[in-house]
């Protein structure tokens, strides 16, 4: 797989530190970090776009449900992403109180980095289950609408990772290889950009086209299935270029696959099953907007 991006006779590598990136926007009294800004813009886009989608025929919920949904989904992304990272990759965060500054418990120090996609996904799913149960909504159709906007957050988040010079890729000799601070003098894949492109921009375009240009929103579970299948496959491929998480290099040595890939395989299989079932079912919600009865 790595050979697909290999290039012989590569020129001098690009040094990330020479690109002039800053960690955020200096407001004088506070620095708004781009990673936080990426989360904020992702949530704002999701809220705006879902609100726009709800005005189309066949909507599974009303605007008031969307208001509740994105409050809880925001909490789900943050709490689930952080707890998932600690559980899957760095369990010692639960017991480490050696942090400096005004927060000593490292689990709460989100600005130090460490968020799990899989944990964030579970957090969002939990939030959607709660809101759907409270509002007596069809969970699957709610998920169809929400997942259509999620890749925007993935796109912005991976760009923020690149801006921060973190989560770099594996060693390479491609012409666009880069040397990242903290990664030694090793030329590496800018895998953050690969992830931004596949997990973010490409999947976003596919889902938006399916919603706005086809009748996919009437196929209960189709958009959710395509999202799960797409995000799983994109993540699986990108893991071949992304450096394994610290402390989990042994997983690659033992099995040939990273911890992230093993966690992604169930998502791919589940997404495939949901997609196939959705295609086989008859369309629903074509008789007019469902928002008023939701």
């Amino acid at each position: 797989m790595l050979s697909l991006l290999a290039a012989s006779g590569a020129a001098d590598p690009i040094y990330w530190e020479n690109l002039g990136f800053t960690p955020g926007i200096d407001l004088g009294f506070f620095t708004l970090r781009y990673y936080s800004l990426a989360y904020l813009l992702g949530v704002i886009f999701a809220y705006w776009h879902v609100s726009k989608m709800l005005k189309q025929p066949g909507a599974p919920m009303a605007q008031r449900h969307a208001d509740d949904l994105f409050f809880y989904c925001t909490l789900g992304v943050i709490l689930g992403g952080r707890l998932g990272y600690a559980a899957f990759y760095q369990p010692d965060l639960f017991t480490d109180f050696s942090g400096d500054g005004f927060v000593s418990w490292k689990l709460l120090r989100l600005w130090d980095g460490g968020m799990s996609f899989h944990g964030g996904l579970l957090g969002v799913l939990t939030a959607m289950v709660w809101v759907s149960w409270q509002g007596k909504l069809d969970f699957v159709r709610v998920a169809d609408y929400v997942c259509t906007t999620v890749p925007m957050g993935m796109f912005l988040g991976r760009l923020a990772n690149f801006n921060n010079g973190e989560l770099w890729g594996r060693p390479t000799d491609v012409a666009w290889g880069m040397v990242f601070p903290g990664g030694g003098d090793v030329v590496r894949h800018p895998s953050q950009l690969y992830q931004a492109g596949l997990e973010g921009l490409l999947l976003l375009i596919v889902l938006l086209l399916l919603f706005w240009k086809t009748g996919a929103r009437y196929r209960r579970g189709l958009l959710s299935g395509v999202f799960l299948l797409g995000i799983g496959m994109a993540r699986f491929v990108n893991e071949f270029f992304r450096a394994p998480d610290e402390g989990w290099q042994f997983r690659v040595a033992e099995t040939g696959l990273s911890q992230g890939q093993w966690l992604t395989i169930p998502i791919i299989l589940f997404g495939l099953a949901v997609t196939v079932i959705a295609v086989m079912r008859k369309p629903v919600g074509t008789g007019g907007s469902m928002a008023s009865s939701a």
Side-chain angles (χ1 to χ4, degrees), residues 151-233:
M152 174 60 82
M154 301 293 295
F155 173 67
L156 295 173
R158 295 313 179 190
L159 290 182
N161 290 145
F162 180 74
N163 178 86
N164 293 341
E166 62 191 7
L167 302 183
W168 52 74
R170 302 188 190 192
T172 182
D173 60 354
V174 297
W176 55 89
M178 302 185 69
V179 177
F180 291 93
D185 294 327
V186 180
V187 180
R188 300 178 179 275
H189 284 288
S191 57
Q192 313 97 321
L193 299 182
Y194 304 167
Q195 292 183 271
L198 284 180
E199 300 172 20
L201 187 59
L202 178 60
L203 187 56
L204 177 66
I205 293 173
V206 169
L207 290 172
L208 292 183
L209 287 176
L210 283 175
F211 182 89
W212 291 105
K213 299 299 183 180
T214 75
R217 66 178 179 270
Y218 300 119
R219 296 277 183 180
R220 183 175 181 269
L222 180 55
L223 292 168
S224 297
V226 171
F227 167 76
L228 291 171
L229 183 59
I231 199 73
M233 292 175 62

Side-chain angles (χ1 to χ4, degrees), residues 33 35-36 82 85 90 93 96 98-101 103-115 164 166-167:
R33 294 187 175 274
Y35 198 72
S36 300
R82 188 58 171 173
Y85 178 81
Q90 198 172 341
L93 285 175
D96 192 338
S98 62
D100 55 2
V103 176
S104 61
W105 192 15
K106 283 198 171 182
L107 182 66
L108 300 180
R109 297 176 62 83
L110 302 181
W111 54 91
D112 287 343
M115 298 288 282
N164 293 341
E166 62 191 7
L167 302 183

Side-chain angles (χ1 to χ4, degrees), residues 47 110 112 117 147-148 158 219 238 282:
Y47 180 79
L110 302 181
D112 287 343
F117 158 73
C147 72
T148 305
R158 295 313 179 190
R219 296 277 183 180
N238 281 323
K282 294 182 179 180

